[in-house]
Amino acid sequence: MPDRIHVSSDRVDVDLLRLGPRLGPPVLLLPGLGANHRAYELRPRQSFAGFMTQAGRTPWAVDFTVSWRKERQDAAALLRALEIALAELRRSEGVAL
């Protein structure tokens, strides 16, 4: 099972990154468009991703930062890429989100 799921199109790229060990059902962490997956792992003992792991969940975070390097991006293309990435996460983890 992957630690990273990458979806690329002609207009948008989106990454889903696993932030901890696989312990239980996945939980998707969605930062704002100005942030990235590191927002959930700022300090080792005060990490939201770590908190989710301790709660028995497998944290995955969306990383939009690779998207903003392409021209002609729009919200519809970004949402479509996210939809494809989530379908791949559901398939790889074998669970519904």
Side-chain angles (χ1 to χ4, degrees):
M1 292 186 200
D3 294 336
R4 175 179 177 257
I5 295 172
H6 180 77
V7 172
S8 182
S9 72
D10 62 334
R11 295 170 72 183
V12 176
D13 290 346
V14 171
D15 282 336
L16 298 182
L17 304 165
R18 187 167 52 84
L19 301 181
R22 281 188 177 80
L23 295 177
V27 61
L28 186 64
L29 307 176
L30 187 65
L33 291 177
N36 62 27
H37 66 281
R38 291 183 195 99
Y40 298 108
E41 300 181 298
L42 294 177
R43 297 180 183 172
R45 293 181 184 207
Q46 296 175 329
S47 159
F48 188 69
F51 172 78
M52 296 309 296
T53 299
Q54 289 176 356
R57 304 297 298 263
T58 302
W60 286 81
V62 177
D63 189 353
F64 295 111
T65 56
V66 294
S67 294
W68 307 120
R69 298 184 188 128
K70 292 187 173 187
E71 296 179 16
R72 302 178 319 140
Q73 297 138 3
D74 60 26
L78 185 62
L79 290 174
R80 179 67 183 134
L82 183 56
E83 180 181 32
I84 294 167
L86 290 175
E88 181 60 25
L89 178 60
R90 282 191 292 272
R91 186 194 63 73
S92 72
E93 295 291 311
V95 297
L97 296 174

